Amino acid sequence: MTGLQLAAALCAVVIGVVLCVRRKEPLFVKILLYACVCACVGALFSACYALVLGMPPTGFHVGCLGMTGFWFFLLSSYFGALDRLADGGEGAYRPHRLAALAFPAVLVLILGGSLARWGAGPLLPVLVEGVPMVLSAYFAAKHLLLPDVEMGIIRVMRPYNVCVLLLCLCRVLGQLPGLPAAVSETAWAGGCCLLLLLLPAAERGVRKWFM
């Protein structure tokens, strides 16, 4: 799985570089590219560790900071670039904002239940990236539920936000101890596929929005 994650992260970086070189992309897409670079650096550490020692790293290690950086960049792209355009703060949309709390709440419940059962040690890698991941999940869910605005930002970015939510779920399920190997492996593979889809989905939405 370490090699698969490295291959997916490398491909995501290449896709992002090609997109940014081919045409002038907004800051939002460039921030996503930086996020993929962080994921790639973390996966590279894990792959080198496995190559040198003959086994993938377990528990918390430096490579975990790569995905943590990924989620922080993703969070900054929502908070600093996209959210101010999608959500004008209207009181009529308060029910949508409250409903968007459901998905991150599910993630917190899963992590909390696992923490109570297994303790912090085996869960430390996913807990480290958990805070920016849960916050990113909130923004993705909110942008999925908000009514479309006049500029069409919400509608065209919905496929991207679905990818983000599914990626959050795959990251959590792929790192929880005690799950059947088939579930963990499927979650890892799904997360890698979603990482590849993230930048094309974002760029496609932004392109439609600007057109």
Side-chain angles (χ1 to χ4, degrees):
M1 288 300 169
T2 301
L4 181 61
Q5 185 178 8
L6 177 59
L10 279 171
C11 289
V13 171
V14 171
I15 291 171
V17 170
V18 170
L19 289 175
C20 290
V21 169
R22 188 178 61 181
R23 60 166 60 92
K24 185 177 181 181
E25 297 289 354
L27 179 61
F28 172 71
V29 176
K30 294 177 182 177
I31 293 176
L32 294 184
L33 172 58
Y34 303 150
C36 291
V37 170
C38 286
C40 185
V41 171
L44 182 61
F45 173 86
S46 299
C48 290
Y49 185 102
L51 183 63
V52 172
L53 298 181
M55 58 180 295
T58 57
F60 178 77
H61 52 88
V62 175
C64 298
L65 299 179
M67 283 306 297
T68 304
F70 171 86
W71 289 114
F72 270 116
F73 271 113
L74 210 69
L75 177 61
S76 69
S77 71
Y78 275 118
F79 186 77
L82 191 60
D83 192 60
R84 66 182 64 184
L85 299 173
D87 186 2
E90 295 87 348
Y93 295 158
R94 188 172 293 111
H96 300 84
R97 299 187 192 100
L98 294 175
L101 292 171
F103 190 88
V106 169
L107 296 180
V108 170
L109 288 174
I110 294 174
L111 291 174
S114 301
L115 185 62
R117 181 174 181 181
W118 301 101
L123 289 168
L124 195 54
V126 69
L127 291 177
V128 169
E129 62 180 274
V131 173
M133 181 198 302
V134 168
L135 291 175
S136 299
Y138 166 72
F139 282 109
K142 183 175 75 166
H143 292 182
L144 196 62
L145 295 176
L146 281 174
D148 204 3
V149 295
E150 184 179 352
M151 294 175 65
I153 301 170
I154 297 295
R155 175 179 52 83
V156 298
M157 294 302 290
R158 277 177 179 146
Y160 166 76
N161 289 312
V162 170
C163 284
V164 172
L165 291 175
L166 292 176
L167 181 58
C168 291
L169 189 59
C170 286
R171 287 297 300 174
V172 171
L173 294 180
Q175 299 182 82
L176 291 183
L179 291 180
V183 175
S184 298
E185 291 173 1
T186 301
W188 270 103
C192 292
C193 293
L194 290 164
L195 188 61
L196 285 173
L197 293 174
L198 207 63
L199 266 164
E203 196 272 343
R204 185 168 180 264
V206 168
R207 185 166 12 109
K208 285 186 177 181
W209 163 28
F210 277 115
M211 287 175 61

